[in-house]
């Protein structure tokens, strides 16, 4: 073990790792770790622990945290270890500290000093270790302590140091842009560094800087282009090659940067065309990394000023991706398609079947990506199909995060492209029913506003919209459990429009509202909405001169609410009572029907009071003096004043008074906030009081800004939380266009599918295709309306050729698969095979399989070692190469089947013992020393491949 | 930011290495790792190597029994990350010689050192194997 040097490991450590490695369950692992914590707590604070031992303890602490347990008792020891003189110990200390602490931890202050010292060390590896720590541990406050040192290191003779110094500066920029704003030119300088590693690293901060401010870096376009050109022409050292691609990661970064710089800039883009086109041609589309670069090229082409030649290249690459069998490439293809259709929408049409295949694929990731693509290509002609698909998908997932996202997308598309009111209402109902609690309440308020204001066409359609909304809501109320937000919408709409078209009687609607209030009695907000809706219905009845008979259940509900603990509910109930007692004329003026969209003019000057004031003054009352003109008044008045101008001159100021003042200050916004929460309902009563802005002129501003405006507007707003902001509605509703082109499309579909059936005789395909065909037509058909007729013939022939092609592909992939089994050739795209599911299913089989694999290579030991060294040296260590070169067929054997493992005589196993293990180990290493060490280590531990977790021994690359 | 975290987790869901490039508390890490691993383990080999999770995209790759999972931002090139994982494994393989899960467990700090050379501030900064491994070799020699 001496040869392990500083990487010395004690028996105890090996045992720990072994037991963790062999733990079969989380519970067992937890037990081991808890025991370990106890041991470490005891040991780590013993005096005079040798460095090596301490380093090991710290790594054990890392294990403890990695496995999910708290190791804070040992943090201080990790901090202390950073002071050590030995490089390895120091670096381990830094590593542990960066893993344990966040930048705001109290202990960081103890490390800053050490970092400062290490940054000036003569040993560049120490400097590098400190720079690593700088990137993780320095926060905004500590930047000044190390900044000058880091800047100095930018000119360090060692490239590794320069690279890390650049990244440290990058980190400072991320943490606090202003702290390094005077140093940004360093990034440009380092771009010209002699060392490609430093140059490559510099691209990271530059990418970020350019993202924020493109225009300041336009002058670098030519530099980036020329670097990219040099990289593509293999001028960089071979060490940066990866799978025969020259520095692909640098290429990708450069392409990202070029995309930013060329976006919307014709001149800059023209400089890029040549090099990007060149890369398109040079990329090896048979390797993953080649495709990664190709994908980045597509992204770049779709962002920069468009060029027909490059677009063609991009379209070709996309179709190669989509036709591939690899799901990864399909995914990239769908993503790329989504980018390219922004520039050339017609490209989607050629890939319609591939897109639909991806949409119907059981692979969730692919499906989501495809839905995202559909979202991007939604038009008024295909909105129905797409939104239906999205809702179907939404209903079937449990992931709330994504559900929320997809729900808001559905709403957005529906608002933007709704072909009819009916459809819009129904779609919104679906969204609310299935994701009501997840959607933003704004969406609900938007919906209410939309129903209230209509689509702005004519009154007939608007009232139709309302009637259909009422109808559908009454129907939906039968459902058992509805989300709160949706119920609020329902109550509001029923209150406003429930009786508007005369179809339903007031008693029917009020009965329904009472049912809602009872059924959701735990939801105060819903109850409040319901009561106000009741108020409105009764008010309309009274105003219309009809006699109001309150339903008995309604009466009992009101009694309950009159005594409610919620003051809001109470107030609403009292208001209802008051309204009922008024005569028709009064009611009509306080609650006119269908007036929720009317503008309300508020007389801010309260001029209607002038006469009254005049009278009072004449009668000897004191005239009003504005608060700020009153001097010498109590300070209290100042507290009440929301504006709190510090300058409001008072001659006496006592510091001691600051404290209470502050609390008052903070309480004011709080109370106003709270009050808005208590009054969650955008009741017309309140709203009418508040609307200070007129509805129409504010059409361009969004809801947020109106809310802001309201907040500034004086005292009344306290009660007038204005959830029903008029601004957005107008903008969204005016953009609404009813567009109905769907029937037409359908017609052409059916004919399509019919012809297809006769066309293709293969049963299965015919069964699937018409549906897909239909879907395709409804998704993509609308894109070129004028071409619809000729396109049908085109469409019929295309899919069928597609089918042939696909079946061919399928067959060939099958062939490949069987070949694979025979010749043990891995598929080029999916590397991840190692050992399949067999193991977990039949763990008892493992040892045999394992041994069989282990025994086999005995004959190959020598050659394997040679092999190993050549493998390392060969110029082309591509994936396939790696596989064929691995010494033994161990894992491939595993792949083939369990039977081969079982058929192995168990005698072998008995023989196996240590010998076979030894053999296996020696056959393993590429370099002799390593493998011997590994062998020794394993023997020392007593871990054998047949022990509970044989996987630990698997070559990851094998 | 690019890369948000790198995890190595085996088939049983046991974490073998975890490196985060943004701060998460212990509880958050534990929950995140559990959720992600469950998601990835449920997928088969034909399905694509990318999974969306919350606001992350997870790119994962399986080698023998060990999963390498990289959490990235939404605008990251997934295929490139997939190859970054392979580069990492190749680098470890060059150092350890036929690297296996146990190597990473015994030399957890070395695996971390390699990552420290390859990724800083969530960006890939070094892809030359020689450059990645040289500090480790020098440290081995020195001690």
């Amino acid at each position: 073990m001496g040869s392990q040097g500083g990487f010395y490991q004690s028996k105890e450590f090996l045992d720990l790792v072994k037991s963790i490695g062999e733990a079969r369950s989380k519970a067992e692992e937890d037990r081991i770790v808890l025991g370990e914590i106890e041991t470490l707590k005891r040991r780590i604070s013993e005096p005079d622990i040798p460095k090596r031992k301490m380093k090991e303890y710290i790594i054990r602490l890392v294990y403890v945290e990695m496995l999910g347990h708290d190791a804070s008792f040992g943090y201080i020891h990790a901090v202390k270890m950073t002071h050590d003189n030995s490089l390895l110990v120091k670096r381990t200390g830094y590593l542990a500290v960066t893993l344990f602490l966040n930048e705001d931890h109290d202990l960081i202050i103890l490390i800053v000093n050490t970092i400062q010292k290490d940054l000036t060390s003569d040993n560049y590896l120490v400097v590098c270790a400190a720079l690593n720590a700088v990137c993780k541990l320095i926060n905004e406050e500590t930047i000044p302590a190390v900044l000058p040192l880091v800047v100095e290191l930018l000119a360090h003779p060692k490239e590794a140091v320069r690279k890390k110094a650049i990244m440290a500066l990058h980190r400072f920029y991320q943490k606090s842009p202003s702290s390094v704003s005077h140093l940004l030119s360093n990034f440009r300088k380092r771009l010209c560094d002699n060392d490609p590693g430093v140059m490559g690293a510099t691209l990271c901060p530059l990418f970020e800087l350019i993202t924020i401010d493109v225009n300041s870096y336009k002058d670098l376009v030519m530099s980036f282009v020329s670097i990219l050109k040099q990289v593509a022409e293999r001028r960089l050292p071979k060490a940066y090659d990866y799978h025969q691609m020259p520095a692909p990661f640098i290429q990708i970064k450069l392409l990202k940067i070029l995309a930013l710089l060329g976006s919307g800039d014709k001149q800059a883009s023209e400089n890029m065309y040549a090099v990007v086109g060149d890369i398109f041609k040079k990329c090896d589309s048979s390797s993953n990394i080649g495709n990664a670069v190709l994908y980045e090229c597509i992204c770049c082409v779709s962002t920069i000023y468009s060029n027909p030649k490059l677009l063609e290249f991009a379209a070709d690459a996309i179709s190669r991706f989509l036709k591939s069998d690899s799901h990864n490439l399909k995914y990239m293809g769908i993503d790329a398609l989504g980018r390219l259709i922004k520039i050339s929408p017609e490209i989607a049409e050629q890939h319609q079947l591939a897109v639909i295949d991806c949409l119907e694929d059981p692979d969730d990731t692919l499906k989501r990506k495809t839905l995202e693509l559909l979202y991007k290509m939604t038009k008024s002609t295909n909105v129905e199909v797409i939104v239906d698909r999205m809702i179907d998908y939404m209903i079937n997932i449990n992931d709330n995060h994504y559900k929320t996202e997809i729900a808001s997308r559905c709403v957005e598309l529906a608002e933007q492209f709704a072909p009819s009111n009916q459809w819009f209402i129904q779609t919104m109902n679906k969204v609310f029913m299935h994701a009501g609690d997840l959607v933003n309440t704004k969406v609900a308020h938007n919906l209410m506003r939309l129903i209230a204001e209509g689509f702005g066409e004519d009154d007939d359609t608007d009232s139709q919209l309302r009637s259909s909304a009422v109808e559908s809501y009454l129907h939906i109320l039968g459902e058992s459990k509805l989300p709160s937000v949706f119920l609020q919408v329902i109550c509001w709409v029923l209150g406003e429009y429930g009786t508007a078209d005369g179809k339903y009687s007031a008693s029917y609607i009020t009965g329904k509202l009472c049912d809602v209030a009872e059924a959701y009695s735990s939801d105060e907000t819903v109850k409040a909405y319901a009561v106000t809706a009741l108020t409105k219905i009764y008010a309309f009845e009274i105003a219309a001169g009809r006699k109001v008979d309150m339903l008995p259940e309604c009466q009992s509900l009101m009694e309950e609410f009159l005594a409610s603990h919620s003051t809001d509910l109470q107030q609403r109930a009292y208001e209802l009572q008051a309204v009922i007692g008024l005569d028709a004329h009064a009611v009509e003026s306080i609650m006119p029907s269908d007036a929720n969209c009317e503008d309300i003019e508020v007389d801010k000057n309260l001029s209607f009071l002038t006469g009254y004031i005049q009278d009072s003054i004449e009668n000897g009352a004191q005239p009003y003096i504005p608060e700020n003109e009153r001097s010498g008044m109590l300070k209290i008045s100042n507290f009440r004043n929301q504006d709190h101008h510090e300058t409001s001159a008072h001659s006496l100021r006592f510091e001691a008074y600051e404290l209470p003042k502050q609390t008052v200050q903070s309480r004011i916004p709080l109370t106003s906030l709270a009050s808005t929460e208590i009054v969650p309902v955008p009741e017309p009563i309140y709203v009418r009081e508040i609307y200070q802005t007129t509805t129409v002129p504010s059409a361009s501003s969004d809801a947020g800004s109106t809310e802001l405006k309201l907040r500034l507007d004086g005292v009344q707003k306290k009660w007038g939380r204005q959830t029903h902001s008029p601004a957005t509605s107008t903008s969204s509703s005016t953009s609404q266009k009813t567009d109905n082109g769907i029937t037409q499309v359908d017609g052409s579909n059916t004919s399509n599918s019919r012809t297809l059936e006769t066309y293709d005789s293969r049963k299965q395909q015919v069964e699937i295709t018409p549906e897909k065909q239909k879907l395709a037509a409804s998704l993509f058909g609308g894109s070129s309306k004028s071409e619809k007729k000729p396109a049908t013939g085109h469409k019929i022939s295309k899919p069928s050729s597609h089918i042939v092609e696909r079946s061919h592909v399928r067959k060939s992939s099958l062939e490949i698969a069987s070949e694979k089994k025979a010749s043990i050739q891995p598929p080029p795209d999916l590397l991840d095979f190692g050992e399949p599911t067999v193991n977990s299913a039949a763990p008892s089989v493992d040892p045999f399989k394992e041994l069989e694999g282990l025994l086999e290579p005995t004959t190959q030991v020598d050659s394997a070692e040679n092999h190993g060294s050549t493998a390392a040296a060969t110029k082309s260590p591509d994936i396939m190469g790696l596989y064929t070169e691995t010494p033994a067929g161990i894992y491939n054997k595993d792949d083939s089947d369990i039977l081969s493992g079982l058929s192995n005589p168990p005698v072998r196993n008995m023989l196996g013992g240590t010998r076979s293990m030894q053999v296996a180990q020696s056959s393993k290493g590429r370099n002799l020393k390593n493998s011997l060490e590994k062998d020794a280590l394993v023997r020392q531990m007593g871990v054998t491949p047949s022990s509970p977790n044989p996987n630990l021994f698997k070559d990851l690359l094998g | 930011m690019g890369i948000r975290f790198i995890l190595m987790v085996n088939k049983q869901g046991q974490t073998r290495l975890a490196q985060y490039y943004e701060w998460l508390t212990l509880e958050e890490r534990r929950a995140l790792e559990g959720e992600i691993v469950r998601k990835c383990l449920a997928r088969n080999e034909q399905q694509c190597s990318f999974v969306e999770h919350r606001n992350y995209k997870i790119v994962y790759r399986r080698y023998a029994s060990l999963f390498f999972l990289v959490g990235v931002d939404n605008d990251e090139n997934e295929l490139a990350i997939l190859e970054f994982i392979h580069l990492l494994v190749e680098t470890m393989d060059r150092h350890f010689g036929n690297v296996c899960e146990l190597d990473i467990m015994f030399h957890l700090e070395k695996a971390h050192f390699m990552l420290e050379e390859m990724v800083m501030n969530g960006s890939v900064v070094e892809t030359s194997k020689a450059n990645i491994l040289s500090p480790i070799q020098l440290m081995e020699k020195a001690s």
Side-chain angles (χ1 to χ4, degrees), chain A residues 702-743:
Chain A
D702 64 353
S705 71
T706 30
E707 264 168 344
L708 256 180
K709 233 181 273 165
L710 284 170
R711 195 158 297 165
L712 294 171
D713 257 344
V715 200
Q716 291 150 305
K717 68 131 203 252
K718 221 177 164 185
W719 281 103
R721 197 195 41 166
Q722 203 257 351
T723 35
H724 176 167
S725 80
T728 38
S729 72
T730 20
S731 59
S732 68
S733 65
T734 44
S735 69
Q736 221 85 39
K737 287 247 163 65
T738 337
D739 207 330
N740 214 334
I742 287 304
T743 43

Side-chain angles (χ1 to χ4, degrees), chain A residues 172-192:
Chain A
F172 299 157
Y173 178 75
Q174 288 176 330
K175 286 281 146 202
S176 157
S178 61
S179 68
V180 292
S181 54
H182 57 295
L183 297 165
L184 296 182
S185 61
N186 283 298
F187 293 125
R188 287 161 171 271
K189 267 186 233 154
R190 284 300 133 218
L191 186 63
C192 314

Side-chain angles (χ1 to χ4, degrees), chain A residues 9 63 68 136 163 167 242-243 296 328 363 365 831-832 835 926 930 934 941 954-956, chain B residues 19-20 30 43 48-50 61-62 77 83 90 93 95 98-100 103 105-106 121 126:
Chain A
Q9 288 162 328
Y63 258 101
K136 286 257 189 166
K163 182 174 68 190
M167 293 314 284
Y242 175 80
H243 294 186
E296 208 57 60
N328 285 347
D363 185 345
T365 309
L831 273 170
D832 325 304
E835 149 267 13
R926 287 232 170 108
N930 267 345
K934 220 189 256 188
M941 283 177 58
K954 291 246 153 114
D955 283 2
L956 295 182
Chain B
Q19 176 65 271
Y20 289 81
R30 193 153 54 178
R43 296 172 63 79
C48 49
S49 318
F50 323 125
R61 198 156 176 166
R62 181 178 163 182
N77 182 331
E83 289 310 285
E90 280 184 3
D93 196 57
H95 183 77
N98 290 32
V99 63
C100 63
D103 286 317
M105 295 185 71
F106 280 136
N121 307 344
E126 187 56 79

